[in-house]
Structures are given as structure tokens and as C-alpha cells.
Amino acid sequence: MESINHTLNNNGNGISHGYTNGHHYHQNRDFYETEQEVATVTTERKSIKSRLQHGDCLYGMSFLSFCPTMVEIAGWSGYDFVILDLEHGFGGISEGLRCIHALTAANTPVIVRVPELSHVWVKKVLDLGPQGIIFPLVDGPESAKKAVSYCRYPPNGVRGVATPIVRASRFGIDESYAKKYEKDLLILCQVETAEGVENVEGIAGVDGVDGIMVGPLDLSASVGCMHDPRNEKVKEMMRKIESTVLGMKRKEGGGPYLAGFAMPFDGPDQFRSRGYKLIRGVTDVGLFKNACVGDIVEPLSHGGEFTRVH
């Protein structure tokens, strides 16, 4: 892990990340230690959106495997948020619900990336009660307006109403849910094509859009240099997105914010230095792959006789 103070304030689960020199610092907790037990008192969780409004820079990871045990470990490790990736991941609504249960136990906020701009997907996802939602492949203001409308109840949108029975409203126990959820729901539009870059100001300016998520890999594909996000064309597009969003007038209630997927050659520290406020660093699949490959390479590098079969 790079040397970065990922969060620079208390996160939702009471852990503040200073991943500096490999140490994990805990703040805003009272520790009562004896030889037999450690009891902790955790501060009340703040929403992702609230923390962004207060100027925090948030760091998280994505999950594609939808493994509840692994996602719970990530939650307890101290990430500010976890993205459940329904676009490229291996799970659906049922698997996502189990992961949300695990993250709720770890008091870690959830953002869900939906597979497409679909009111059906959005309805099902929001009924689970995540704190944020990411819409992929948003190329213009009209798509952004649709995205927001799918997140709003009538008359401001087209979200289906089932508040007495869905998890988001605590199955109807929270009778005020429908009136207050918009305040804490983070809506991000992912710009990942050349057309989207040209329209980024219009997308970010749509009422209800809280931020722009930058996707370097898809940007590279959109200009004919797939798998080459270091290409100057991609860098130029990213700089245009960054300067446009950062130069926009702040909306009432905050935003638009810059959000992005850090890369091995363009890490979280660099993203933060350029004004990003929500940074996705790694994926569960990538972390596990690297650990497995490293586990095989290490004994081989010391004269081991294992045979790798492909």
C-alpha cells in the first residue's frame, strides 16, 4: 500500500486511516483494555455524502466476488466505503444483499455500481439501502437526468414506491425514510467516453448529480488505445474532466465532486493532489490475484522446485 493518509478524518466505522509506514491508527474511539478483553465505543456513523460536504477525502475499494466474508474483512479493515460492482462483478441483488449485511455489521458505507442505466436495476439497488450509487457510461445531460429521476420518488422521479417493506426503510419501521433519504444518497455519474468528456460540464451540472466518476480504462478504449490509460490522449481527457469539475460553481449541499479509480501508475496520492475527493484504490479480485501470484513466485525465487501449470 502506498504511503497515503487515506482519510484525513474519522470514517463511518470509527476508524481513521493513516496508512503511513504500515501503521493503522485509531481515532475517536475510547479503548478500555484489560488482559482479557478490549471494549470499544464507536462514534456514530456519518454518511459518505456528509463527509464529502465537510471536506473529507475518502478512500475505498471495489468488490467483484461478492463474498460476504471477504467484504466484511474489508469493512473492519477501515475503508471509508466499499463499492459493490454489479457492472463487472459476479453477483446480483441477492448476493449484494448478503454483502451489505456484512458491511453493515462492520459499520462501513456501501456504494453500488449498477450494470446499466435502468430504472429496474436502480429500484432494486436503492431498496437495499446503500449510501451511494454509480451510473456507468453517462455520455450527456439527458442520461444524467434519467439517472437522477430513477433515484427519486414521484413527482420528482419514477422510483417505484415500496417503503413499507424494503430494507432501505428498515422494512417500514423508519417511516420518515422517503422524506429524508435524498439528503444522504450520493449519486455519481461515470464519464468514460470521449462524448462524455465533451459533455462533462452539462452532466455534472444536472440537479441531483453529486459527482463525476472517472474511468481511465474505458476512456482509453473510447479513443482507440485500449489498455493504455497512460496514453497522452487519455491524460488530456482526464485533465479536461478534472479542470471542468473543479472549476464549476459549488451546488447547494456540496458537489460536484471528483471521484475516480486509481491505477498502479497513477495512485491515490496523485489523485488526491489533483482534487479528487472519493478514490477507489483496489479490487478484491486484484488483491487476491496479486497475493496468489506472489505466493507462488516467492518460493520459486529461492530455488524452490514447484511447477506452475497453466
Side-chain angles (χ1 to χ4, degrees), residues 60-257:
M61 69 176 293
S62 288
F63 263 79
L64 290 84
S65 68
F66 285 72
C67 172
T69 299
M70 300 302 288
V71 82
E72 186 176 5
I73 291 171
W76 286 118
S77 297
Y79 287 101
D80 294 303
F81 62 89
V82 166
I83 296 173
L84 296 180
D85 191 353
L86 269 67
E87 183 186 16
H88 294 294
F90 318 134
I93 295 299
S94 297
E95 295 83 1
L97 176 58
R98 288 192 282 272
C99 289
I100 290 175
H101 285 157
L103 288 165
T104 300
N107 212 14
T108 301
V110 181
I111 299 173
V112 178
R113 178 160 69 170
V114 293
E116 60 182 345
L117 187 59
S118 157
H119 73 92
V120 175
W121 272 110
V122 174
K123 174 172 55 180
K124 285 179 169 291
V125 164
L126 292 186
D127 283 353
L128 298 181
Q131 285 196 18
I133 186 167
I134 301 172
F135 290 92
L137 286 170
V138 177
D139 290 331
E142 290 308 311
S143 295
K145 289 176 183 176
K146 280 186 179 180
V148 174
S149 75
Y150 296 162
C151 298
R152 302 283 190 254
Y153 289 123
N156 300 318
V158 295
R159 180 182 174 186
V161 181
T163 48
I165 57 172
V166 297
R167 183 182 183 277
S169 65
R170 299 179 182 175
F171 305 100
I173 294 171
D174 182 359
E175 296 180 355
S176 63
Y177 167 77
K179 296 179 180 178
K180 67 183 183 183
Y181 81 96
E182 291 183 19
K183 177 175 67 71
D184 285 328
L185 179 65
L186 184 75
I187 300 176
L188 300 175
C189 289
Q190 192 165 329
V191 171
E192 43 192 338
T193 66
E195 181 183 355
V197 174
E198 290 302 313
N199 293 322
V200 67
E201 184 171 7
I203 296 169
V206 168
D207 184 38
V209 172
D210 297 301
I212 298 296
M213 195 90 187
V214 182
L217 288 177
D218 281 296
L219 282 177
S220 70
S222 75
V223 292
C225 46
M226 185 182 293
H227 303 311
D228 184 18
R230 299 182 194 230
N231 191 285
E232 283 303 316
K233 293 179 182 178
V234 181
K235 291 180 180 178
E236 288 176 12
M237 289 193 293
M238 289 185 66
R239 299 302 177 263
K240 179 172 182 178
I241 294 171
E242 292 162 5
S243 62
T244 299
V245 174
L246 292 175
M248 293 179 66
K249 182 180 178 182
R250 300 295 94 178
K251 297 179 180 179
E252 183 179 352
Y257 305 105

Side-chain angles (χ1 to χ4, degrees), residues 246-287:
L246 292 175
M248 293 179 66
K249 182 180 178 182
R250 300 295 94 178
K251 297 179 180 179
E252 183 179 352
Y257 305 105
L258 270 175
F261 300 106
M263 306 292 288
F265 59 87
D266 192 12
D269 280 322
Q270 290 93 324
F271 268 63
R272 187 179 61 163
S273 70
R274 299 203 302 271
Y276 285 79
K277 291 297 184 182
L278 190 140
I279 304 166
R280 195 289 319 260
V282 294
T283 67
D284 61 326
V285 171
L287 276 178

Side-chain angles (χ1 to χ4, degrees), residues 1-4 18-25:
M1 180 62 67
E2 302 181 39
S3 173
I4 176 175
Y19 291 106
T20 306
N21 299 322
H23 297 295
H24 200 155
Y25 300 105

